[in-house]
């Protein structure tokens, strides 16, 4: 269905930047370097700087960022990796593909991992915690880091949705051993195809990732590890460098439009996103919660307002989970399941107008005025 307030806006992003893209593409086509090269190096330097870490290693996708980091860390196959069930499947898929046993724990009201549930789920087999910063709101990463340090567990951050997000004034990505970002077209910093990056302060890990992403080649003819091909295309890096010039401004705009939604939805029977004052939310998604999610969603669609649900089916309820490889914590995932039935993502994008935000918010208001009272 076509919506006059669409949910996704990749087309607007590219239209806004096409005049800046073209000279970059022309130069690269003339230069003939399509894999790696100066644009990739520059992108890595800029992302490391933005996230206040020493190293960034660009790879082919956010999924590869996670997978290759788990492998580079040498976490033994068969050990347990703890994460959450309300995430994109890649968080859990990366653990499975590296031979770890995922254990999923419940979340709190902020939709991020519940630190008490996490602590309770840890066993001697637990070697890794993957903290997801869902929708661009940092998890309680200071407390998670303290817990992981105390228990001798490696902490990895899934920052796929959280570029530029901060906790206690510190950018995400540097709290644990590494932070993994997706630069997929739909993410806040998106390429025109697949892309991802790992940030870390650990020089050895960065070096290992550089080997793994390029067949373990130390030089042209010497293979020192069994690696694979997960290099970033120079063309994508060139486009990402153009987009990166806008990222701070576009992130501010996301935050302003989210604040507008907060105001417009105040007083309605929906839960708006949490706004903890020690964390900067970058609103990859603006998700509200209501018991009448499906009816509200149909109402908005009839009014021409596109919405989406992230994620309607938690990982442990997916058909693939019937094989039993993904375990859940003993206390259960009651909060996760309740939120999955109630969450609704409203359209939010830096290139939306305030009028569009008002139209979407008016749609929510009219649902509760006419349908539900
Ligand atoms: C998008 C995403 C990924 C995977 O990134 P890709 O670039 O699509 O491979 C991993 N984790 C989360 C939380 C994501 O949102």
């Amino acid at each position: 269905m076509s919506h006059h307030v669409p949910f996704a806006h990749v087309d607007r992003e590219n239209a806004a930047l096409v005049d800046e893209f073209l000279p970059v593409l022309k130069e690269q086509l003339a230069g003939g370097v399509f894999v790696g090269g100066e644009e990739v190096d520059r992108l890595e330097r800029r992302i490391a700087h933005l996230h206040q870490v020493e190293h960034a290693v660009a790879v082919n996708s956010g999924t590869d960022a996670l997978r290759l980091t788990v492998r580079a860390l040498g976490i033994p196959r068969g050990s347990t990796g703890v994460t959450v069930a309300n995430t994109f499947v890649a968080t859990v898929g990366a653990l499975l593909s590296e031979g770890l046993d995922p254990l999923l724990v419940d979340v709190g009201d902020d939709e991020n991992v519940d630190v008490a549930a996490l602590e309770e789920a840890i066993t001697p087999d637990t070697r890794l915690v993957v903290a997801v910063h869902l929708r661009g709101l940092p998890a309680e990463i200071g407390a998670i880091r303290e817990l992981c340090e105390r228990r001798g567990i490696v902490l990895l951050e899934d920052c796929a949705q959280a570029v530029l997000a901060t906790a206690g004034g510190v950018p995400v990505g540097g709290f644990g051993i590494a932070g993994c970002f997706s630069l997929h077209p739909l993410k806040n910093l998106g390429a025109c195809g697949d892309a991802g990056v790992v940030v870390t302060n650990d020089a050895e890990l960065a070096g290992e990732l550089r080997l793994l992403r390029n067949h373990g080649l130390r030089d042209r003819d010497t293979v020192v590890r069994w690696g694979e091909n997960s290099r970033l295309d120079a063309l994508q890096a060139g486009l990402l460098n153009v987009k990166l010039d806008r990222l701070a401004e576009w992130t501010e705009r996301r935050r302003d439009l989210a604040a507008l939604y907060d105001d417009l939805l105040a007083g309605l029977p929906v839960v708006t996103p949490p706004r903890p004052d020690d964390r900067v939310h970058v609103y990859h998604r603006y998700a509200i919660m209501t018991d009448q999610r499906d009816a509200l969603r149909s109402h908005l669609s009839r009014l021409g307002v596109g919405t989406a649900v992230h994620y309607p089916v938690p990982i442990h309820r997916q058909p693939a989970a019937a094989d039993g490889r993904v375990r859940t914590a003993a206390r259960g995932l009651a909060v996760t399941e309740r939120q999955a039935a109630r969450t609704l993502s409203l359209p939010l994008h830096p290139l939306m107008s305030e009028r569009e935000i008002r139209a979407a918010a008016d749609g929510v208001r009219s649902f509760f005025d006419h349908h539900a009272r």
Side-chain angles (χ1 to χ4, degrees):
M1 177 179 309
S2 91
H3 291 117
H4 73 85
V5 183
F7 183 75
H9 301 86
V10 175
D11 51 344
R12 290 188 198 180
E13 248 174 78
N14 291 332
L17 297 174
V18 68
D19 290 342
E20 293 169 59
F21 282 165
L22 290 179
V24 172
L25 293 178
K26 262 193 178 158
E27 195 176 311
Q28 293 195 1
L29 292 174
V33 175
F34 297 117
V35 178
E38 174 48 33
E39 289 281 3
V40 174
D41 296 346
R42 185 162 159 252
L43 179 71
E44 291 181 340
R45 286 195 304 270
R46 295 177 77 189
I47 288 183
H49 179 75
L50 276 175
H51 278 266
Q52 295 172 22
V53 292
E54 295 288 321
H55 312 277
V57 182
V59 292
N60 214 291
S61 67
T63 304
D64 278 8
L66 289 162
R67 242 165 29 80
L68 296 180
T69 302
V70 172
R71 194 184 315 168
L73 287 168
I75 296 173
R77 301 181 82 83
S79 52
T80 300
V82 183
T83 189
V84 291
N86 66 339
T87 179
F88 183 62
V89 61
T91 315
V92 176
L95 299 179
L96 287 169
S97 90
E98 296 309 314
L100 271 67
D101 292 336
L103 175 66
L104 307 183
V105 300
D106 213 356
V107 295
D109 289 340
D110 67 355
E111 300 184 275
N112 284 318
V113 68
D114 177 324
V115 183
L118 176 62
E119 171 131 44
E120 190 181 297
I122 288 170
T123 69
D125 289 335
T126 306
R127 301 293 295 273
L128 176 71
V129 166
V130 184
V132 180
H133 304 299
L134 197 73
R135 316 196 190 292
L137 175 67
E140 288 177 60
I141 195 68
I144 297 166
R145 173 171 60 187
E146 188 277 318
L147 167 60
C148 289
E149 280 173 358
R150 182 157 42 83
R151 305 289 295 261
I153 297 166
V154 177
L155 170 61
L156 182 59
E157 295 174 76
D158 182 337
C159 304
Q161 304 184 1
V163 66
L164 294 194
T166 67
V170 179
V172 298
F175 284 87
I177 186 73
C180 298
F181 293 79
S182 168
L183 307 173
H184 179 277
L186 291 175
K187 300 293 162 70
N188 286 19
L189 174 64
C192 296
D194 278 312
V197 64
V198 183
V199 301
T200 182
N201 286 311
D202 188 311
E204 202 181 322
L205 175 62
E208 199 63 28
L209 286 165
R210 289 182 196 283
L211 284 175
L212 290 180
R213 74 174 171 183
N214 190 27
H215 302 293
L217 284 161
R218 185 178 61 205
D219 54 54
R220 212 192 133 78
D221 298 313
T222 316
V223 179
V224 295
R225 297 278 186 286
W226 304 123
E228 55 190 77
N229 176 357
S230 184
R231 301 171 303 228
L232 181 63
D233 287 351
L235 290 173
Q236 296 298 351
L239 302 180
L240 284 163
N241 276 317
V242 171
K243 281 201 173 172
L244 204 43
D245 292 338
R246 304 295 172 87
L247 185 64
E249 175 196 332
W250 282 4
T251 302
E252 269 316 298
R253 174 76 176 163
R254 281 179 188 272
R255 288 172 48 74
D256 289 347
L257 294 178
L260 179 59
Y261 265 137
D262 285 350
D263 287 348
L264 295 170
L265 299 174
L268 295 177
V270 298
V271 179
T272 54
R275 296 187 141 258
D277 35 76
D278 59 332
R279 299 178 244 171
V280 169
H281 192 331
V282 295
Y283 296 97
H284 171 59
R285 301 296 180 205
Y286 185 94
I288 60 172
M289 289 196 209
T290 163
D291 287 335
Q292 302 179 77
R293 190 264 311 280
D294 294 337
L296 172 59
R297 193 172 185 212
S298 311
H299 174 82
L300 289 171
S301 184
R302 279 194 300 277
L303 293 176
V305 176
T307 58
V309 177
H310 307 92
Y311 297 92
V313 183
I315 306 294
H316 64 294
R317 298 286 182 198
Q318 292 290 345
D323 69 4
R325 291 173 69 196
V326 173
R327 290 172 300 137
T328 53
R331 79 146 87 166
L333 270 58
V335 179
T336 301
E337 295 191 356
R338 193 172 125 78
Q339 289 174 351
R342 288 166 44 91
T343 185
L344 183 66
S345 303
L346 300 181
L348 177 74
H349 187 277
L351 298 175
M352 284 177 70
S353 64
E354 290 190 9
R355 247 185 63 207
E356 288 177 301
I357 299 287
R358 284 178 198 281
D362 284 349
V364 176
R365 182 171 297 275
S366 69
F367 174 79
F368 289 105
D369 282 349
H370 304 301
H371 296 253
R373 282 183 183 161

